Amino acid sequence: MTRIKPLMGQNFIEYASYVIVDRAIPDVRDGLKPVQRRILATLAKMDDGKFHKVANVIGDTMKLHPHGDASIGDALVVLANKDYFIEKQGNFGNPVTGHASAAPRYIECRLTNLAKETLFNKALTDYRPSYDGRNDEPVVLPAKLPVLLLLGAEGIAVGMSTRILPYNFNELLEAQIKILDNEPFEIVPDFPTGGLVDVSEYDDGRGKAKVRARLETPDKKTIVVREIAYGTTTESLIASIESAAQKGKVKIGAINDYTTDEVEIEIGLPRGVYVDEVIPQLYAHTDCEVSLSANMVMIKDRRPVELGVSEILCFLTDQLRGIIKAELMHELGQLEDTKHWLDLERIFIENRIYKRIEDATTAKQVVKEVRTGLKPHLKELDREVTDDDIDRLLKIPIRRISQYDIDKNRVEIEAAVKAIKMVRGKLRKLTATTIEYLEHLIATFGDQYPRMSEIGTFEAVDVR
């Protein structure tokens, strides 16, 4: 027994750490759990502009994810129903009614333009071996969106859980612009199911938000539910109303569900009962009003931390600035490489340096002759000539030399110089460049994501 105890203790710690860090809790940097990251990475690898069978996506994702097809399929459907990064085709179920999706072999998906523009950049992505060592998977995606707050998250690990409420796309990016301008900002949740939300006790994600269904009263004897509270479904809402009615807490005559693409639950009232009396009963005793407590737990530096919404958004805004800088530095390096090669090629051909290698008898002598020929022109180059540069010069085909166009080369060099100046200008004004990028995202995609929940303050209903 004394031998087993330390072994069990160590194994449990390793298991708990794995579930927390590599399974159930999202990473603050890209806002994704490992299974979501692997799904998106697989879709990016498969991307050819066409829709893919979800069954095929699941199969390819299994090369990276060790937990089976069911967990991948469920995670993909949930992620697709967020309507940000995965475009759907077919029956993906309905989060509002609680209906399940069709089988993976019947439904299709692909990446959205938003995902392609904001989540991927191979040059800036670190990779690690997959669980079986046969493939590489991204450690974290270089996300240029505050994905953690955009999608929200729920997860249960060992000894801890997380619940991060979702926020509005436009409001998040506008708040990031205010952070970059050193202006005060306020950000509150926005739910895809709509409804009314009271954030007076939210406390930057450390408190709770109250959410109500949107009720309409076409006449004094009828209540129609048009939007439901986040975290509920039409089925659970009807069940809660029926349960409250059986207990005598809510007076209703009949309830009918006409929900299709939009929520429509009609509640008829009995004789002598009117809407003014029943609406407070619905809020007090049914899922027409729910309280959502946030639990802002996430992974940062390979360990769980608890941060407020403002802290998260400030961190992700700094990260965005860093990613844009890294992208510009990468682009600048490529442009400088292009200009260097154009200069080198021009010097090599215009000055007929290739003629010097005609009498060379060894590879070493060939390289020496090229270096000697380039020596008087080194001042025209922006950096030193490497062995790789010379090797590339020696591989220029004769056809290319005979058809060489000096004017075309000069135009290409001028274009490269102009592009280099533009990139350096963006780097000098990095904050303004970052703001410009955020404004571009709002202008391009903002219309697709209007605010769904109406912000207000609720009067407390006396349950008694």
Side-chain angles (χ1 to χ4, degrees):
M1 189 68 183
T2 53
R3 293 179 184 176
I4 294 175
K5 190 173 181 180
L7 180 66
M8 292 296 290
Q10 180 62 30
N11 287 349
F12 180 78
I13 289 170
E14 290 180 4
Y15 165 73
S17 300
Y18 170 75
V19 173
I20 291 167
V21 176
D22 288 317
R23 198 162 180 185
I25 309 293
D27 192 299
V28 68
R29 292 172 291 177
D30 62 4
L32 301 171
K33 298 178 185 180
V35 65
Q36 296 172 323
R37 190 178 301 116
R38 288 161 182 158
I39 289 166
L40 290 170
T42 299
L43 280 169
K45 190 176 180 180
M46 297 173 72
D47 184 53
D48 57 3
K50 300 176 183 177
F51 282 97
H52 302 279
K53 286 283 187 185
V54 168
N56 290 337
V57 179
I58 292 170
D60 273 22
T61 307
M62 284 180 71
K63 296 174 183 176
L64 306 178
H65 192 66
H67 301 297
D69 60 330
S71 62
I72 297 169
D74 292 344
L76 192 152
V77 168
V78 170
L79 191 56
N81 281 326
K82 303 279 188 182
D83 291 326
Y84 287 108
F85 302 137
I86 298 178
E87 187 177 349
K88 305 173 290 185
Q89 185 164 276
N91 177 17
F92 274 73
N94 190 336
V96 172
T97 62
H99 293 154
S101 66
R105 62 185 178 276
Y106 298 124
I107 55 179
E108 298 176 320
C109 68
R110 65 184 176 189
L111 288 176
T112 62
N113 291 330
L114 177 64
K116 292 177 189 177
E117 180 163 339
T118 60
L119 295 184
F120 305 102
N121 188 326
K122 284 187 178 179
L124 304 185
T125 307
D126 292 328
Y127 291 87
R128 64 185 175 197
S130 60
Y131 68 95
D132 62 0
R134 289 190 176 92
N135 299 278
D136 291 328
E137 64 171 314
V139 176
V140 66
L141 297 181
K144 289 183 281 185
L145 286 175
V147 177
L148 185 66
L149 298 175
L150 187 66
L151 299 181
E154 289 191 36
I156 300 173
V158 179
M160 67 180 64
S161 64
T162 184
R163 189 178 204 186
I164 299 168
L165 303 182
Y167 292 76
N168 179 263
F169 176 88
N170 294 299
E171 292 174 8
L172 282 170
L173 301 195
E174 286 164 3
Q176 286 188 294
I177 291 172
K178 288 182 178 179
I179 290 169
L180 291 164
D181 283 333
N182 290 316
E183 295 178 7
F185 70 96
E186 184 180 1
I187 187 84
V188 297
D190 183 30
F191 304 110
T193 51
L196 315 173
V197 58
D198 181 351
V199 292
S200 56
E201 300 176 50
Y202 191 55
D203 190 25
D204 200 38
R206 295 182 175 87
K208 62 181 180 180
K210 293 177 183 175
V211 190
R212 283 183 175 179
R214 188 182 295 276
L215 306 181
E216 292 182 359
T217 52
D219 56 63
K220 294 180 180 180
K221 300 290 289 181
T222 308
I223 299 171
V224 180
V225 181
R226 293 293 184 188
E227 295 173 359
I228 61 174
Y230 182 69
T232 66
T233 64
T234 53
E235 289 183 4
S236 69
L237 178 60
I238 291 169
S240 73
I241 294 171
E242 289 175 342
S243 175
Q246 288 172 3
K247 295 174 183 175
K249 294 179 178 178
V250 177
K251 299 172 184 175
I252 65 169
I255 184 165
N256 297 297
D257 187 5
Y258 301 118
T259 300
T260 52
D261 292 339
E262 296 181 356
V263 176
E264 185 179 353
I265 301 171
E266 187 180 280
I267 303 169
L269 305 184
R271 183 178 299 174
V273 178
Y274 298 95
V275 293
D276 293 343
E277 179 185 351
V278 175
I279 287 176
Q281 295 173 355
L282 290 171
Y283 287 141
H285 300 292
T286 74
D287 284 348
C288 284
E289 180 181 318
V290 296
S291 180
L292 303 174
S293 296
N295 188 23
M296 308 289 287
V297 177
M298 64 220 68
I299 301 300
K300 186 181 180 187
D301 300 327
R302 298 290 294 170
R303 62 184 62 195
V305 297
E306 192 169 356
L307 300 173
V309 175
S310 301
E311 292 175 275
I312 295 169
L313 201 54
C314 288
F315 171 83
L316 293 175
T317 305
D318 286 341
Q319 177 180 276
L320 171 64
R321 199 170 178 275
I323 289 172
I324 288 176
K325 181 180 179 180
E327 285 185 343
L328 290 170
M329 292 297 291
H330 178 70
E331 184 182 352
L332 181 62
Q334 289 183 316
L335 288 169
E336 288 175 342
D337 287 344
T338 300
K339 182 181 178 299
H340 176 69
W341 170 249
L342 289 169
D343 285 334
L344 204 57
E345 187 182 45
R346 176 184 58 79
I347 292 166
F348 184 73
I349 296 174
E350 279 185 10
N351 296 283
R352 298 178 178 269
I353 293 170
Y354 53 87
K355 290 279 188 183
R356 299 179 65 97
I357 67 175
E358 290 176 354
D359 298 326
T361 55
T362 65
K364 192 174 182 181
Q365 194 176 350
V366 168
V367 172
K368 185 180 178 183
E369 287 296 335
V370 174
R371 279 199 178 277
T372 304
L374 290 172
K375 200 168 185 179
H377 308 283
L378 292 178
K379 290 181 180 178
E380 299 175 45
L381 299 171
D382 295 330
R383 61 170 186 248
E384 292 182 2
V385 179
T386 65
D387 290 341
D388 288 338
D389 290 333
I390 293 174
D391 187 51
R392 188 175 172 186
L393 286 173
L394 293 170
K395 289 178 180 177
I396 295 176
I398 296 295
R399 188 186 295 108
R400 169 76 177 145
I401 294 172
S402 63
Q403 296 176 349
Y404 187 70
D405 188 335
I406 294 172
D407 293 333
K408 183 182 176 184
N409 175 272
R410 284 175 180 164
V411 169
E412 289 174 347
I413 289 173
E414 286 174 9
V417 170
K418 189 176 179 181
I420 287 169
K421 286 181 180 177
M422 188 181 295
V423 172
R424 285 178 175 162
K426 288 181 178 180
L427 281 166
R428 279 194 297 271
K429 300 177 180 178
L430 189 57
T431 299
T433 302
T434 307
I435 291 172
E436 188 179 322
Y437 178 74
L438 289 167
E439 289 172 342
H440 155 72
L441 289 181
I442 293 171
T444 307
F445 303 104
D447 291 344
Q448 300 174 32
Y449 308 110
R451 168 163 273 278
M452 303 300 289
S453 299
E454 182 183 334
I455 302 167
T457 304
F458 305 155
E459 292 183 12
V461 178
D462 188 346
V463 176
R464 290 176 294 178

